[in-house]
Amino acid sequence: RERKRLDDEAKEAKEREGQQRDEEERERQKRDQEEAERDRRKKEEEEEDRRRRDKERDEERDREKEKEREREREKEREREKEKDKEREREKDKDRDRDRELESRKLREDEDRDRDMQRARERSRWDEDRERFRQDFKRERERELAERERRADERR
């Protein structure tokens, strides 16, 4: 009986040890599982953070590219404005040059008209002077002829 009790106690102790080992194993597995779950969640969070940072970086890069494109468009608009201004300046120069040419042509036409008028006046004066000279010459010849006739009559 004593031996049986001792065997029963030994058996119970073995069972308790087995149960304790099983419990410890279950606890260890549970801890391992919880740790694996924490690691998995941590990796997921890290992956999510990485994706979020990548997305933010991509968005920032896109914003910078858009800003650069807008700066380029602004530069192009400025270049176009400058070209427009230059074209306007060229048109103004052309108009000024045309006005100057027209003005010069008008002055030349006026000068030519004035010169022609003077030439006509000089021609009339020359004709008048020639007529006057001819008249004067005829008058002197007539007077001389008249004197000679009188002289002849006196003789």
Side-chain angles (χ1 to χ4, degrees):
R1 229 192 292 166
E2 183 62 26
R3 181 173 274 156
K4 186 173 184 314
R5 188 183 60 76
L6 285 172
D7 282 346
D8 286 345
E9 282 179 8
K11 206 191 229 181
E12 282 176 16
K14 257 188 176 176
E15 272 181 33
R16 274 196 310 274
E17 272 180 30
Q19 286 175 350
Q20 189 175 354
R21 272 196 308 276
D22 289 349
E23 183 64 29
E24 287 173 356
E25 182 59 25
R26 279 193 298 276
E27 286 291 322
R28 188 189 60 71
Q29 284 178 353
K30 186 179 174 185
R31 280 193 310 273
D32 288 352
Q33 211 172 11
E34 288 172 350
E35 189 175 328
E37 182 62 24
R38 276 194 307 274
D39 288 351
R40 186 187 61 72
R41 276 195 306 266
K42 185 177 179 186
K43 281 182 182 173
E44 283 178 358
E45 288 173 1
E46 287 172 351
E47 182 62 23
E48 185 60 33
D49 284 350
R50 186 189 60 74
R51 279 195 296 269
R52 183 181 44 74
R53 283 191 308 274
D54 288 353
K55 183 180 177 189
E56 288 172 355
R57 187 187 62 238
D58 291 348
E59 288 172 350
E60 180 62 26
R61 189 179 60 238
D62 290 348
R63 282 190 297 273
E64 285 302 316
K65 282 181 180 176
E66 182 55 34
K67 283 179 187 175
E68 183 58 30
R69 284 192 292 271
E70 182 56 35
R71 283 191 291 272
E72 283 302 316
R73 285 190 294 268
E74 184 61 30
K75 284 179 186 174
E76 185 57 32
R77 283 190 293 270
E78 287 300 316
R79 283 191 290 272
E80 281 303 314
K81 280 182 188 177
E82 271 307 309
K83 284 180 185 175
D84 289 347
K85 285 180 184 175
E86 185 57 32
R87 282 191 287 270
E88 273 305 309
R89 284 191 290 269
E90 286 300 316
K91 284 181 186 175
D92 288 347
K93 283 180 186 176
D94 289 347
R95 281 192 291 269
D96 289 348
R97 202 170 20 256
D98 290 348
R99 274 196 298 274
E100 180 58 34
L101 284 171
E102 187 63 29
S103 176
R104 186 179 313 141
K105 187 172 181 259
L106 282 173
R107 281 194 308 273
E108 288 171 355
D109 289 351
E110 289 171 355
D111 290 349
R112 190 171 39 258
D113 289 349
R114 201 170 29 256
D115 291 346
M116 288 171 63
Q117 179 66 28
R118 286 180 186 148
R120 284 192 297 272
E121 288 174 4
R122 257 194 315 277
S123 176
R124 270 195 309 264
W125 292 340
D126 289 348
E127 289 171 7
D128 289 348
R129 195 170 36 250
E130 184 58 28
R131 224 180 0 265
F132 180 75
R133 198 173 64 71
Q134 290 294 331
D135 289 350
F136 185 75
K137 187 177 171 187
R138 277 193 298 275
E139 184 63 29
R140 270 188 41 220
E141 286 174 359
R142 198 179 48 71
E143 285 177 4
L144 279 174
E146 182 64 32
R147 279 190 206 140
E148 282 178 23
R149 189 182 54 77
R150 279 193 220 134
D152 284 345
E153 284 176 4
R154 272 187 247 138
R155 282 188 231 135

